[in-house]
Amino acid sequence: MPPAPPLPPVTVVLDRHDDALHTHTALAAHHPPSGRITLHPGPGTTSETGLAHDLLAALGKPPMLPGRFPAGRQPAWEAAAAWMTALPVTRLTVLRAHRLTARRAMRLLQLQALTGVHLTLVCHRPHLPAALHQALRTADYSLTADFEAARRHYYGTPIAESPAADEPTGPASRWLTLPALDRLVSYDSPRPCAVPCTPPPIAWRHRPPPVPLTAPTAQRVARRLHAATAHPRLAAAVAAALFTGASLQQLATARPRDYDDAVATLALHDRARYTDGCAARPVPPWAGIFLRAAACFTRLFSGDQELLAAPGDRAHLLRVAETARLRPPQPPAARRKGPAGRVEWDWRERQEAERYKAVPASRVRPSRR
């Protein structure tokens, strides 16, 4: 592998007189689609996790990650690093940096080491505070008190004005009904391969491929998923279900090695051939960000565990899809099993089971065993 590029030096801006112009300029530079994030830490907290939640919020994510985690430690920093790597974010400006504890400052330096982001710390004081000075002892950094130089760091060079925000800030209220989600809660039960295998491209012999999303629909889906959850694996699992038509059980067979970012393929496994066997599916461009985030998150947090959601994450996965207002086709009102307004995820499975029960016994082939 080629050597990693050297990290850019950390820039420390000294806003000697706590001038509102610095704060307003840094906040105006915030534009995630352009790779620029401005983090304004919430007052009254000194916890490292709280700072990570602020960063997730700056990335446009709900700050809390759903699910249960080992020792109760929420992997908020790993999630932030994963999203920053996948989006990608190139510049991170942190306001009120003079209030950072040494440990929180070290967290930001570790984040820079993981992501390679250009990190700018804005101290609204005439001198570098002791905690920040302690954290920066092992870092390559430069100091500036010049406003125009600071502005170039907030925006990058050359300075580009942020376009008007034309994307929604949260999931829309109108449902998107997507047939590719029909099998998400399927009763099939494929398992991951015991040893690594190299699946061939899928041939779709046993069922038709899901219809690709149109460009406008894919854009809406991506925006909704980004706003619905900070959990990279859950977001990636919903995205993968939409371009594979696979069940949660089969999505759970994927490991980090099964996603090839270079050729944009995702391999799912099924040795028993409940569906199409072990096969690689092409990943559409709109879904690549979610798969890259999930791969980075899994590598940082859990090693060689599931790349996507695990079967035990089913409730959280469906809640993410519903938060994004994504659902499979629903039964007519007369055939609903649950209350009005509740998404029925197993409607297609029930239809198939009812049709099978209706087949006369004389037409059912006896088992050859």
Side-chain angles (χ1 to χ4, degrees), residues 7 45 102 143 147 150 188 192 216 222 283 290-291 301 357:
L7 289 175
T45 176
L143 285 167
F147 172 74
D188 61 20
V283 178
F290 299 102
L291 271 295
F301 181 62
K357 290 178 181 178

Side-chain angles (χ1 to χ4, degrees), residues 269-322:
H269 300 272
D270 179 19
R271 282 293 190 187
R273 301 191 67 85
Y274 283 94
T275 54
D276 291 282
C278 299
R281 281 86 165 162
V283 178
W286 70 266
I289 287 176
F290 299 102
L291 271 295
R292 287 193 291 274
C296 181
F297 178 77
T298 302
R299 185 174 66 251
L300 292 173
F301 181 62
S302 57
D304 195 35
Q305 298 300 312
E306 291 90 350
L307 172 66
L308 308 172
D313 296 323
R314 171 173 161 160
H316 298 298
L317 179 67
L318 299 186
R319 191 171 298 118
V320 165
E322 292 179 19

Side-chain angles (χ1 to χ4, degrees), residues 89-298:
V89 173
T90 57
R91 311 191 77 83
L92 173 62
T93 298
V94 183
L95 293 169
R96 302 289 156 191
H98 60 278
R99 293 180 176 175
L100 293 173
T101 63
R103 290 180 62 87
R104 293 190 356 150
M106 285 300 301
R107 276 290 197 177
L108 290 171
L109 295 176
Q110 292 165 4
L111 182 71
Q112 186 207 25
L114 285 172
T115 62
V117 71
H118 185 112
L119 178 62
T120 300
L121 304 174
V122 185
C123 295
H124 306 269
R125 293 290 185 274
H127 305 289
L128 197 65
L132 192 54
H133 184 269
Q134 177 186 349
L136 290 170
R137 284 186 303 180
T138 59
D140 182 13
Y141 72 96
S142 63
L143 285 167
T144 183
D146 180 73
F147 172 74
E148 287 302 325
R151 187 170 186 265
R152 287 193 293 272
H153 286 295
Y154 302 154
Y155 278 93
T157 305
I159 295 174
E161 295 300 327
S162 300
D166 56 358
E167 63 272 357
T169 58
S173 59
R174 185 175 179 180
W175 286 99
L176 283 178
T177 299
L178 304 166
L181 294 175
D182 265 337
R183 291 185 176 271
L184 186 57
V185 296
S186 175
Y187 304 141
D188 61 20
S189 54
R191 296 182 179 180
C193 293
V195 295
C197 74
T198 306
I202 190 166
W204 299 107
R205 295 189 182 95
H206 302 291
R207 55 193 172 97
V211 177
L213 302 182
T214 64
T217 300
Q219 189 177 45
R220 287 196 293 271
V221 166
R223 286 174 176 172
R224 292 182 181 201
L225 281 179
H226 276 300
T229 185
H231 201 309
R233 287 171 53 196
L234 294 179
V238 176
L242 289 172
F243 68 81
T244 65
S247 68
L248 172 57
Q249 286 90 337
Q250 190 170 24
L251 293 173
T253 66
R255 297 294 182 265
R257 62 179 175 270
D258 292 315
Y259 171 60
D260 190 331
D261 189 42
V263 296
T265 59
L266 173 67
L268 301 179
H269 300 272
D270 179 19
R271 282 293 190 187
R273 301 191 67 85
Y274 283 94
T275 54
D276 291 282
C278 299
R281 281 86 165 162
V283 178
W286 70 266
I289 287 176
F290 299 102
L291 271 295
R292 287 193 291 274
C296 181
F297 178 77
T298 302

